[in-house]
Amino acid sequence: MFSIRIVRPCSVLLASAALTSFAASDIPAALAQQAREPLPPVEVTPAQSRKQAKPAGRGAQSPRRAAAHRPAAASAPKPIGPAAAAQTPLNSNAVAESASRLGLTVRETPATVEVISAETMREQGYRTVSDVAQGAVGVTSGDNPAEPSAFSMRGFTNSQINTLYNGIKIGPQNMTSRIMDTANLDAVEFLKGPASLISGEGAAGGAINFVTRQPHSGPSRNEADFSWDSLNSLRAHYGSGGSTNVQGLDYRFDVSRSALNGFADDTNTKTLDVSGQLNYRISDSLKVSGAIEYREDRSKAYWGVPLVPIAFSGSHATSGIVSGNYVSNYSKTNLGAVTIDDRTFNTNYNVLDNRNVAQEVWLRGGFELKLAPDLTLKSQAYGYGAERTWFNNEVEAFNSTTNLVDRERFYVAHSQRLVGNITDLIWDTNIAGFDNRLVTTLSSSYLDFVRPGAANFPGDSVDLVDPNRGFYGLLTTKQQTARIDNEALSVEDRLKLTRTFALIGGLRVEHIGLDRNSTDKNGLENVGFPYTKDWAPVTGRIGYTWEAVPGLTFFSQYATGADVSANNIFLLTPTQPLDLTTARTYETGVKHLFWDNRAEWSFSAYDILRKNVYAAGGGQALNIAGRQESRGVELAASFRPIEPLRLWGNIAYVDARYADYNFVGGSFSGNTPPNVPRIVANAGASYRLFTPWPVELGITGRHVGDRYNTDANTVTMKAYTVADVYAFVDIPRSVFNAVDQARLTFRVRNITDKRYAIWGDPFYPDQVLLGAPRTYELSAAFKW
């Protein structure tokens, strides 16, 4: 029924000489990248622990702990590179342990890594993790309610990108991720390209790690933030951290609440996040910690607007949002040339009793023990539980025969339990006169997943304009279960052959055991169930870094990844291929810090190949896509030509295509995967006025190229450009004696009120999600 043809992969690796020539050229100011908050300066003790110092530079916040991957540990081993962590424009001195367990900074890692700090999130007004993603280099996001916080990166989307929480994976993105407020986060880390060495199965396109606020040593610091916007959205956050009266005991506590109203009628998202952590230094050689977090989100969901024939909309047809000719996947009627009807911009087609709800609890605890001067043992145990529910009308398909919108309901719930342990053994040694660090990691986890779902799908048809939304109706359920055992052994090593040249590599051997069952509405097992399947993927990375001259570092890497070829590991059926797909990348680039740390830029080029993949051809059916190829370049830069002025920008180009994508009745070979723009660019500038009450004025712009909403590539979501402007004033301490810092901010989002399509769900191809219109926001932040 399907045919697969395997051809020899084409690899692209740029020469270092060409990169050197490129590095010497001038970088236009328009391509500068926003400055990121670095880690605070680091002092290295003989015990190889890290003591946090106050961060330097304007607007410095509570220090971020370097140990993002091991939140349970009070500190991390010293980095192999320079201990200094002076502020850099691209935050390249930050340590992203979702990218490496070696304690390397971004600049020392032979891969493209970006760390967006809490300070940047606040300055740029990033309210959710999807906002953060859209400020990163070459990343797009859409908050599709079926798969909240879905991302596109380097030609890959959704479950091809691992999402991690303090370095821990909880499952495929399109099953487990939720809308998350940024208030309790210390940083968001982006690791580009196949990344299974660190995060395991599911990282064919990369990994995104959410790092919660960490304790710090020193006087207690408190902060409070509040905001309101013209949609009547409200946000509030309080946080506190520092040392306690108990010697060696540090704490961090944060609580945030938000109610974000959507632009469509009766749509909103409410979140609650409470997190806390204690770090206790028992002695110079032993540190322990514990953390707990509760998250909740409740939404009245926006599922988009239907594609409508231009001939039907007439004068209400819009241009510049979508284009193309389309046959409805749901009703099979021919819509011809399609548009978005301007009467539907704010229309909610969901049923009145809809709900999207999730409740999550995290428990983490661990220790760091110095066994010998050159040997450290770190271990972390964790537990995670989640309850999720979707109860909505999810299909909104225009029917050209009736001129009505056909609707269909869907219900699913999750009950998830996860327990696991990650243990690292770090060995610093000398091999034949060369400094070497070896990290051996043993991890294991057990996951239990219960998924009640709809056995019937009530539906109806409503008017396009002012629809009678009605209620869900009769619900009949069935149930699926998945139990997954996972064990992995990995090693990662860095060998410094010279003071400026290092080899970095690693290997991961993983075992995945899956037990699946599925029952119908009467509780009887479906055909082919239960069944058991095992995988043993081997993935890794080999690369180098070379600091040719101080501040100028070249890097290259070859890395591999693995994930499940058919949808995701929770939804595999006996009739789908149960093999793992493989991915590999060749990447090379340069990172340059210069001009007395006032300017920084980075460039990378990559070639990624993923084989034996499944994709949604349109609707609920999955097709074999054969191979997925992705080649591209990324450029980011930031500099401060004079003290008050900051210029930044980034641009990413990707050519992502399917190959050997053949099926009965056609071929999608040469087509672009859904939600993958060829061009993504961000740019911004800010100017600070050093008046008695300092004022900063800023503008940011974002351009996203054309995208398709299905593999068929028949409907184009048109390119768009949006801009935000902001102004904030820092109120002197003399005004509020009890407050060290106070800031008032006014922000206008999407200042031109651009209408555009931000995302398309290939499983619901008859509709697209629109981006938010112009909104105004006021916020206040205090620190004491």
Side-chain angles (χ1 to χ4, degrees), residues 93-114:
N93 275 344
V95 176
E97 292 203 10
S98 60
S100 172
R101 291 190 173 90
L102 291 166
L104 303 177
T105 66
V106 169
R107 198 163 57 254
E108 297 168 321
T109 304
T112 300
V113 185
E114 184 174 5

Side-chain angles (χ1 to χ4, degrees), residues 75-305:
S75 61
K78 75 171 184 178
I80 299 173
Q87 184 172 358
T88 72
L90 291 183
N91 203 16
S92 63
N93 275 344
V95 176
E97 292 203 10
S98 60
S100 172
R101 291 190 173 90
L102 291 166
L104 303 177
T105 66
V106 169
R107 198 163 57 254
E108 297 168 321
T109 304
T112 300
V113 185
E114 184 174 5
V115 178
I116 297 183
S117 69
E119 175 67 8
T120 296
M121 297 181 212
R122 284 187 287 273
E123 285 198 357
Q124 295 302 311
Y126 298 151
R127 299 181 294 183
T128 69
V129 294
S130 293
D131 293 340
V132 178
Q134 294 186 76
V137 183
V139 183
T140 58
S141 182
D143 271 343
N144 169 20
E147 303 170 354
S149 301
F151 307 106
S152 174
M153 187 166 72
R154 289 196 170 180
F156 298 88
T157 57
N158 297 351
S159 289
Q160 299 157 19
I161 301 169
N162 267 348
T163 50
L164 312 174
Y165 301 86
N166 295 294
I168 301 170
K169 178 187 173 183
I170 62 173
Q173 176 279 325
N174 65 345
M175 296 287 285
T176 61
S177 66
R178 303 296 300 180
I179 293 176
M180 188 191 308
D181 196 283
T182 59
N184 291 46
L185 293 178
D186 196 51
V188 180
E189 304 170 351
F190 296 85
L191 172 61
K192 310 289 185 65
S196 289
L197 171 64
I198 304 300
S199 59
E201 177 272 330
I208 300 176
N209 186 35
F210 305 115
V211 184
T212 55
R213 301 285 189 93
Q214 303 291 299
H216 73 273
S217 297
S220 293
R221 299 284 294 169
N222 304 284
E223 55 189 282
D225 309 272
F226 309 92
S227 70
W228 170 89
D229 73 12
S230 54
L231 295 173
N232 284 324
S233 298
L234 298 170
R235 297 176 71 223
H237 162 252
Y238 169 77
S240 179
S243 297
T244 68
N245 292 329
V246 177
Q247 181 67 32
L249 182 63
D250 303 328
Y251 78 98
R252 180 71 201 188
F253 171 79
D254 290 274
V255 57
S256 61
R257 183 87 189 204
S258 70
L260 304 178
N261 289 327
F263 60 89
D265 298 333
D266 189 29
T267 58
N268 60 72
T269 299
K270 298 178 180 179
T271 68
L272 171 66
D273 193 340
V274 182
S275 59
Q277 180 167 331
L278 293 174
N279 290 353
Y280 186 29
R281 297 180 300 280
I282 297 175
S283 67
D284 288 342
S285 59
L286 178 61
K287 303 166 189 177
V288 298
S289 66
I292 185 170
E293 182 172 7
Y294 173 81
R295 285 199 302 263
E296 177 182 304
D297 66 86
R298 298 178 178 273
S299 300
K300 292 284 190 178
Y302 168 68
W303 290 84
V305 294

